[in-house]
């Protein structure tokens, strides 16, 4: 069966039906959308309530003319309640026996119920046609299913994230005040998943029809996979596959991929603390000599993927995974069957700036996390960049790593008072109260359900205090992974813009006394969308910061600052409303013309589309966008001409200058919740503002374990930016090691500029730096930077590292401060050092900083930087 040609169901039926784990009502989503002439499909709605009496009362109300969708929103405990109970266009053959029995005579308008289910009682209605329910609900729905440009084959669901998510959501209903209680969310994760596993095991033990047994085994295996219990998962799925094969059921094809992926995942799990030196089995492309501790699992994975390809030679998801399995085995490319081989030439880099070494274990950063965020900044003002890491696992705390200045970090999480800060898909930093110490904001609820933010005030003594409640930021729970600090009115106080997922955005005005007031509605920025990125820049050069919001399903927003605490939405006029399915975003001046350009990634959870892009095959999905700022309030799409029109799976993204040539490069953290998404992160070198070149292979930065938060930072004060990356998936069974890629260095010059605001905000966020340089044998050129932490997922230091190119000589600096609207000019600034500039000062200060390297043997060489 050719899955690519049969996946014609777009628009969300896949994930809507994943809600069925709790009600055990349907598997139309778990089995990717498949359409055949022998299986009927109906647009189905459901209301689920705990008791038979409640169901009978609701059935009577609907019979008497009340609207099904309205009652579903009010009464249903089913995860589809927010969409009026609409599950999707369901294949009747894939419903549980209870529901198939209730729908023996399907017809438009049919209302049936109550139907007894393991978790309650259901009322069902078949609609005349699918409703216009708007964007997907704020659940995993938005990860796994949405329309593409053409027919997109979404990654086979193997990780149990959707099932575990729904189990957690069900558990949260019984915990009052959980949205403000971080420990309650942890409790729901532990008890909800464990309870769902127990219920599924009980259900499976009942026996019954072979099809029901098979589906129960499949779902139970997913739940166990989410916990990393791959032995049990594999055993269940092998039983389900045997039944499916005997029945000639279409789920058998799905289970081939699932089993191959399960074996590959189990083979790839290792405890990095036992690895001596580097682990080449996780860096793409993996070549002979990689670590492969479980060769038997890899052989089985290969066998399953080959079975898929024998039935469907055009299945690019299976072809990609087959090549990855051989790579992990250490037998790529020689042993890969020729007709399924992806040539090594497809992965080669045309440029080489040197190979980055992953030094995280040697540096004391040997931790494994789920998906999360990262901040690199100096939290104790000692001239060394520290690291804060978050993860979306509700039972895991923030981690604070102090830079010791000798090639190692020390875990000071407990001493810093951060061990009770649980969860957080992303984190960002700023000195919101202008006391000279960098504070932390924790963002929660992304892809899931609303819960509170955490504003952590830096006490300037190595500790933090949670001031969320007294600041006013905790009043309304938010479902978000993105926010941006910016001074919208140039009063010297940093304000906070927080877009949400399926909820109105918040714009918190800083009152200057440690509190905030939400002015989003009166400011005109409280639109509701499934927002994934928030960034700020003065794109029209009027001295006031503007806002950009990327949305996962629908047009993006560009809010032009009207300079009176209000904004006008102008995305269409500026030509930046695409991609339709956007994710990460960044304002960066890629060509050094002094105007902030706009980079926006598309996002399709499709290993198939990722593979198609690498193979140069026709794509069905929209690519990333780079919009060049034309200087007249509009942008031009230059994605294709600069080499960025690609379909990856970027969740994390940030930028920096890895070769110190003065042009900003981009690093993408790729993946999706499924274990199927074994794809590399991507490093793209900016070639003089003309085009971007993929140097992933030559640089050794192609980590394979789902990249999220990314920070570019010169941790060793040596003049070159390293890349720190939080790796890991959406479930605890997909934890992976933090990466710290040490820059090999280069011969180019550099300058680190630390700005301190006086009238402007102390962090100097939004201030602009202009560097005039003349490299030997070249004409005079300018390099531009704007102070901020980078793109939308991961936070680089607020101080700016600026590459200058080779043989620079002295440089000239101009600093523009938006709040005071003043410009400082400094001539003949020496290069290859760090300097500090205070607003209004006529001289700058040279900073003395330790310089060292991260040693691969756990030791570090320490030298002292001399200040001239």
């Amino acid at each position: 069966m050719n899955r690519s040609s049969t996946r014609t169901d777009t628009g969300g039926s896949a994930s809507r039906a994943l809600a069925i784990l709790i009600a055990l009502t349907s598997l139309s989503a778990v089995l990717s959308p498949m359409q055949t002439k022998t299986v009927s499909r109906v647009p189905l709605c459901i209301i689920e309530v705990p008791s038979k009496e409640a169901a009978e009362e609701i059935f009577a109300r609907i019979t008497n003319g009340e609207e099904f969708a309205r009652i579903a929103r009010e009464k249903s405990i089913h995860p589809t309640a927010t969409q009026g109970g609409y599950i999707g266009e369901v294949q009747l053959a894939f419903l549980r026996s209870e529901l198939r029995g209730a729908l023996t005579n399907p017809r438009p308008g049919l209302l049936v119920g109550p139907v007894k289910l393991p978790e309650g009682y259901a009322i069902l209605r078949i609609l005349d046609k699918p409703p216009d329910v708007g964007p997907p609900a704020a659940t995993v729905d938005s990860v796994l299913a949405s329309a593409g440009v053409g027919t997109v084959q979404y990654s086979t669901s193997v990780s149990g994230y959707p099932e575990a998510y729904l189990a957690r959501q069900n558990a949260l209903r019984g915990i009052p005040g959980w949205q403000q209680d971080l420990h309650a969310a942890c409790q729901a994760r532990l008890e909800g998943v464990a309870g769902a596993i127990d219920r599924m095991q009980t259900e499976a033990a009942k026996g019954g029809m072979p099809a029901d047994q098979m589906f129960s085994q499949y779902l139970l295996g997913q739940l166990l996979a989410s916990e990393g219990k791959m032995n049990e998962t594999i055993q269940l799925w092998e039983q389900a596959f045997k039944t499916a094969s005997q029945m000639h059921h279409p789920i058998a094809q799905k289970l081939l991929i699932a089993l191959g992926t399960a074996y590959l995942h189990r083979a790839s799990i290792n405890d990095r603390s036992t690895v001596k030196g580097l682990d080449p089995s996780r860096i793409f492309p993996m070549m002979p000599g990689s670590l492969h501790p479980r060769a038997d699992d890899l052989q089985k994975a290969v066998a399953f993927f080959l079975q898929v390809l024998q039935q469907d030679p055009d299945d690019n998801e299976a072809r990609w995974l087959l090549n990855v399995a051989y790579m992990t085995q250490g037998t790529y490319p020689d042993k890969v069957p020729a007709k399924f081989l992806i040539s090594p030439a497809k992965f080669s880099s045309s440029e080489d700036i040197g190979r980055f070494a992953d030094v995280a274990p040697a540096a004391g950063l040997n931790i494994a996390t789920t998906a999360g965020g990262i901040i690199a900044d100096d939290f104790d003002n000692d001239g060394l960049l520290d690291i804060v890491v978050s993860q979306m696992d509700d039972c895991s705390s923030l981690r604070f790593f102090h830079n010791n200045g000798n090639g190692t970090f020390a875990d000071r999480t407990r001493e810093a008072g951060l061990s009770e800060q649980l969860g957080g898909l992303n984190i960002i930093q700023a000195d919101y109260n202008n006391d000279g110490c960098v504070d932390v904001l924790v963002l929660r609820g992304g892809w899931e359900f609303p819960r509170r933010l955490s504003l952590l005030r830096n006490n300037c003594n190595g500790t933090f205090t949670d001031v969320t409640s007294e600041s006013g930021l905790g009043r309304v729970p938010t479902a978000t992974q993105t926010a941006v600090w910016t001074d919208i009115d140039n009063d010297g106080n940093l304000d906070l813009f927080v877009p949400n997922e399926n909820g109105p955005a918040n714009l918190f005005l800083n009152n200057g006394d440690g509190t905030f007031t939400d002015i989003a509605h009166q400011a005109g920025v409280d639109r509701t969308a499934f927002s994934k990125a928030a960034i700020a820049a003065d794109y029209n050069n009027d001295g006031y910061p503007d806002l950009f919001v990327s949305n996962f399903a629908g047009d993006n927003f560009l809010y032009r600052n009207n300079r009176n605490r209000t904004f006008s939405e102008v995305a269409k006029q500026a030509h930046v409303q695409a991609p339709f399915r956007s994710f990460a975003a960044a304002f960066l001046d890629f060509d050094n013309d002094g105007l902030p350009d706009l980079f926006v990634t598309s996002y399709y959870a499709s290993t198939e589309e990722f593979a198609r892009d690498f193979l140069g095959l026709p794509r069905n999905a929209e690519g990333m966008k780079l919009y060049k700022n034309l200087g007249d309030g509009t942008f031009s799409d230059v994605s294709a001409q600069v080499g960025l029109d690609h379909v990856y799976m970027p969740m994390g993204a940030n930028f920096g200058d890895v070769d110190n040539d003065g042009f900003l490069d981009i690093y993408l953290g790729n993946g999706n919740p499924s274990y199927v998404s074994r794809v590399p992160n991507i490093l793209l070198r900016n070639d003089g503002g003309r085009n971007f070149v993929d140097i992933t292979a030559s640089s050794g930065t192609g980590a394979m374990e789902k990249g999220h938060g990314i920070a570019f930072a010169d941790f060793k004060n040596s003049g070159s930016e390293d890349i720190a990356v939080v790796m890991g998936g959406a479930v605890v069974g997909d934890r992976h090691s933090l990466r710290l890629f040490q820059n090999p260095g280069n011969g180019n010059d550099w300058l680190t500029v630390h700005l301190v605001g006086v009238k402007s905000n102390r962090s100097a966020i939004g201030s602009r730096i202009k560097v005039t340089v003349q490299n030997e044998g070249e004409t005079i050129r300018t390099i531009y930077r704007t102070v901020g932490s980078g793109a939308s997922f991961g936070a680089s230091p607020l101080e700016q590292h600026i590459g200058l190119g080779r043989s620079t000589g002295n440089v000239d600096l101009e600093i523009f401060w938006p709040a005071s609207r003043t410009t400082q000019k400094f001539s003949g600034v020496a290069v290859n050092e760090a300097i500090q500039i205070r607003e209004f000062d006529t001289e700058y200060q040279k900073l003395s900083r330790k310089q060292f390297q991260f040693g691969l043997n756990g030791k570090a060489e320490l030298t002292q930087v001399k200040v001239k």
Side-chain angles (χ1 to χ4, degrees):
M1 181 180 65
N2 188 318
R3 292 184 298 151
S4 300
S5 64
T6 59
R7 295 192 178 200
T8 57
D9 177 11
T10 60
S13 67
S15 54
R16 278 193 290 269
L18 285 170
I20 308 355
L21 168 68
I22 302 306
L24 293 177
T25 55
S26 167
L27 283 174
S28 62
V30 177
L31 316 168
S32 313
M34 293 181 288
Q35 186 172 6
T36 71
K37 295 180 180 179
T38 61
V39 179
S40 60
R41 303 170 64 86
V42 295
L44 185 65
C45 292
I46 186 171
I47 294 174
E48 182 191 349
V49 290
S51 70
K52 184 177 181 181
E53 293 75 19
E56 289 173 340
E57 178 188 353
I58 290 171
F59 186 89
R61 289 171 59 185
I62 297 171
T63 303
N64 290 328
E66 293 194 46
E67 183 184 1
F68 188 104
R70 183 174 64 81
I71 298 177
R73 293 187 182 96
E74 293 176 357
K75 301 292 186 181
S76 182
I77 63 172
H78 196 276
T80 58
T82 58
Q83 291 186 298
Y86 183 57
I87 294 178
E89 292 188 78
V90 175
Q91 299 179 27
L92 296 180
F94 292 157
L95 290 177
R96 282 190 56 85
S97 56
E98 301 101 314
L99 300 185
R100 288 200 306 272
L103 298 172
T104 54
N105 185 24
R107 61 187 183 277
L110 177 67
L111 180 72
V112 296
V115 180
K116 179 68 174 74
L117 298 171
E119 295 294 325
Y121 290 80
I123 299 166
L124 305 173
R125 163 153 280 175
I126 297 177
L127 303 180
D128 295 333
K129 61 180 181 179
D132 181 8
V133 293
T139 68
V140 70
D141 298 0
S142 300
V143 184
L144 298 179
S146 277
V149 174
T151 302
V152 174
Q153 175 183 311
Y154 292 93
S155 293
T156 303
S157 180
V158 184
S159 74
Y161 173 55
E163 292 82 0
Y165 162 79
L166 292 168
R168 291 162 52 215
Q169 186 183 56
N170 194 52
L172 285 169
R173 295 192 184 101
I175 305 176
W178 64 267
Q179 290 179 316
Q180 298 291 340
D181 185 348
L182 302 182
H183 287 275
C186 172
Q187 177 186 346
R189 199 267 280 173
L190 296 175
E191 296 179 358
V193 176
I197 289 174
D198 288 343
R199 290 192 296 274
M200 289 296 300
Q201 287 174 332
T202 300
E203 190 70 19
K206 290 179 180 178
M209 300 291 291
D212 288 342
Q213 278 285 90
M214 176 182 66
F215 292 156
S216 294
Q217 290 165 347
Y218 183 87
L219 286 172
L220 179 56
Q222 292 280 14
L223 280 168
L224 292 165
S226 76
E227 295 291 289
K229 298 178 179 179
M230 302 310 298
N231 295 341
E232 296 94 326
T233 294
I234 288 171
Q235 183 179 5
L236 285 164
W237 285 354
E238 286 183 334
Q239 294 171 9
F241 177 68
K242 181 178 179 180
T243 302
S245 299
Q246 293 170 348
M247 296 174 60
H248 303 288
H249 197 285
I251 196 178
Q253 182 84 353
K254 172 72 62 185
L255 283 164
L256 284 174
I257 285 283
L259 278 165
T261 302
Y263 276 111
L264 178 59
H265 186 70
R266 189 170 73 174
S268 302
I269 296 172
N270 62 37
D271 180 359
R272 194 162 163 181
S273 65
T274 67
V275 176
K276 304 300 182 182
L278 299 180
D279 180 359
S281 71
R282 305 285 185 88
I283 298 297
F284 185 86
M286 298 169 283
M287 294 297 180
S290 297
L291 302 179
H292 42 94
R294 302 196 65 158
D296 54 339
D297 279 352
L298 293 171
Q299 290 171 0
K300 290 176 180 177
V302 164
F304 279 115
F305 296 141
L306 283 173
Q307 285 187 65
V308 176
L309 289 165
Q310 287 164 4
Q311 297 178 44
D312 181 6
D314 296 324
D315 190 316
N316 290 300
E317 179 180 80
R319 183 182 177 188
W320 178 272
L321 290 170
L322 177 71
N323 280 264
V324 170
Y326 275 109
M327 288 182 187
T328 311
Q329 198 177 56
T331 56
Y332 171 91
D334 295 343
K335 298 298 183 180
V336 184
K339 62 181 177 179
F340 301 132
L341 174 67
I342 300 177
S343 169
K346 295 290 184 181
F347 311 130
S348 63
S349 301
S350 60
E351 295 183 1
D352 188 351
I353 65 168
R355 193 163 183 88
F356 290 63
D358 178 13
V359 297
L365 298 171
N366 193 20
I367 62 168
T369 68
T370 56
I374 189 168
I375 300 171
D377 219 315
D378 183 359
F379 289 97
D380 52 6
N381 294 327
D382 64 351
L384 298 166
L385 296 176
D386 311 303
I387 291 176
V388 179
V389 175
S390 72
Q391 52 182 311
M392 70 183 295
D393 173 26
D394 289 315
C395 295
S396 296
S397 75
L398 295 186
R399 300 290 294 273
F400 178 73
F401 294 95
H402 176 262
N403 190 331
N404 295 323
N406 64 355
T408 65
F409 291 83
D411 187 344
R412 293 187 181 174
T413 303
R414 185 170 297 279
E415 296 89 330
L418 298 178
S419 56
E420 295 299 304
Q421 291 296 326
L422 306 179
L425 185 52
N426 198 11
I427 47 179
I428 57 174
Q429 86 277 30
D431 181 3
Y432 81 93
N433 57 356
N434 290 328
D435 67 352
C437 300
V438 180
D439 313 298
V440 174
L441 180 75
V442 184
L443 303 161
R444 299 186 177 92
W447 296 117
E448 298 186 334
F449 23 76
R451 64 198 89 167
R452 75 170 176 95
L453 304 166
S454 285
L455 179 62
L456 308 177
R457 185 188 66 213
N458 189 333
N459 299 320
C460 300
N461 63 359
T463 67
F464 294 81
T465 298
D466 188 334
V467 296
T468 313
S469 179
E470 50 264 51
S471 72
L473 295 183
R475 295 191 184 114
V476 180
T478 59
T480 187
Q481 66 174 49
T482 188
V484 62
W485 292 101
T486 189
D487 186 357
I488 66 165
D489 52 2
N490 284 336
D491 67 349
N493 297 309
L494 285 172
D495 312 301
L496 179 65
F497 179 55
V498 186
N500 292 299
E501 297 175 0
N502 286 344
N506 305 107
L507 177 58
F508 295 104
L509 185 72
N510 191 330
N511 300 319
D513 59 359
T515 67
F516 295 81
T517 301
D518 190 354
I519 64 167
H521 181 68
Q522 52 264 47
V525 297
D526 61 339
R527 284 172 169 77
T528 294
F530 200 92
S531 300
K532 299 309 299 178
I535 52 176
D538 181 10
Y539 82 91
N540 57 356
N541 201 28
D542 67 353
Y544 284 77
D546 311 294
L547 305 170
F548 179 83
V549 182
S550 77
N551 296 315
F552 187 70
D555 288 351
N556 299 322
F557 305 145
L558 177 61
Y559 292 113
R560 186 187 63 217
N561 194 324
N562 297 324
R563 296 179 285 182
N564 59 2
R565 294 183 179 173
T566 70
F567 293 78
S568 297
E569 204 289 298
V570 296
K572 289 186 178 179
Q573 297 94 306
H575 314 303
V576 294
Q577 67 270 36
F580 179 77
R581 290 188 43 171
S582 297
F583 202 143
F587 276 115
L588 72 161
D589 186 356
F590 83 97
D591 54 359
N592 279 327
D593 65 354
L595 298 170
D597 308 299
L598 179 60
F599 175 63
V600 190
T601 72
S602 60
Y603 186 76
Y604 294 83
S606 174
T607 307
E608 164 87 10
E609 289 298 311
F610 191 99
R612 281 180 169 273
D613 192 285
F614 261 88
L615 292 167
L617 298 174
R619 302 174 341 209
N620 300 307
E622 189 176 13
M624 305 183 296
K625 298 293 184 184
L626 179 64
Y627 294 109
K628 177 176 170 57
N629 192 330
L630 300 180
D632 60 359
T634 67
F635 293 77
S636 174
D637 182 356
V638 297
S639 313
Q641 68 190 64
V642 300
L644 289 180
D645 182 22
H646 288 287
V647 177
Y648 299 137
M649 281 188 279
M651 299 175 292
N654 216 330
F655 57 84
D657 186 357
V658 292
D659 55 356
N660 282 344
D661 66 350
F663 291 92
L664 292 170
D665 313 301
I666 297 172
Y667 189 75
L668 303 174
N670 291 305
N672 70 60
S674 176
Y675 296 162
V676 164
S677 64
R678 288 187 58 83
V679 299
N681 290 354
I682 302 290
L683 179 58
L684 301 165
R685 178 182 175 269
N686 185 339
D687 183 14
R690 296 177 293 270
N691 63 288
F692 287 82
V693 179
D694 187 340
I695 59 170
T696 305
S698 63
S699 64
T701 56
M704 291 282 286
E705 313 99 339
K706 300 183 177 65
H708 285 85
I710 297 164
F712 285 76
D714 182 7
F715 291 105
K716 53 200 180 310
N717 290 332
S718 65
S720 58
E721 288 188 299
D722 312 302
I723 307 174
V725 193
V726 173
M727 309 296 300
V731 292
V732 295
D734 207 13
R735 293 183 186 275
H736 290 289
S737 301
L738 181 77
R739 297 283 190 173
L740 177 56
F741 290 111
Q742 180 172 246
N743 195 312
N746 52 76
N748 289 343
D749 296 325
W750 54 276
L751 187 67
T752 296
V753 180
H754 182 89
L755 297 183
V756 179
V758 177
K759 182 176 181 179
S760 300
N761 68 87
R762 183 71 175 262
S763 296
I765 289 175
S767 298
R768 301 202 296 265
I769 302 171
K770 177 183 177 181
V771 184
T772 303
V773 304
Q774 185 169 14
N775 303 104
E776 185 177 356
E778 299 181 11
T779 59
I780 294 175
R781 64 179 177 127
T782 51
I783 300 168
Y784 296 88
R785 295 288 184 269
T786 299
V787 176
S789 58
S792 60
F793 208 146
S796 300
L798 295 174
E799 69 177 25
Q800 297 298 295
H801 174 90
I802 306 170
L804 302 172
R806 193 173 299 273
S807 303
T808 303
N810 293 344
V811 301
D812 296 337
L813 284 181
E814 290 186 19
I815 314 297
F816 174 74
W817 301 87
S820 62
R821 302 193 70 82
T822 58
T823 300
Q824 293 167 291
K825 296 184 178 182
F826 303 95
S827 300
V829 177
V831 301
N832 299 331
E833 59 187 17
I835 65 173
Q836 177 174 289
I837 300 174
R838 287 177 56 89
E839 188 175 13
F840 303 123
D841 285 2
T842 57
E843 296 182 354
Y844 62 87
Q845 177 185 359
K846 297 180 180 180
L847 301 175
S848 176
R849 292 187 170 177
K850 294 179 180 179
Q851 182 177 349
F852 55 89
Q853 293 289 323
F854 296 110
L856 299 184
N857 57 0
K859 299 179 180 179
E861 298 176 0
L862 178 63
T863 60
Q864 180 70 34
V865 176
K866 296 181 179 180
V867 178
K868 299 177 181 179

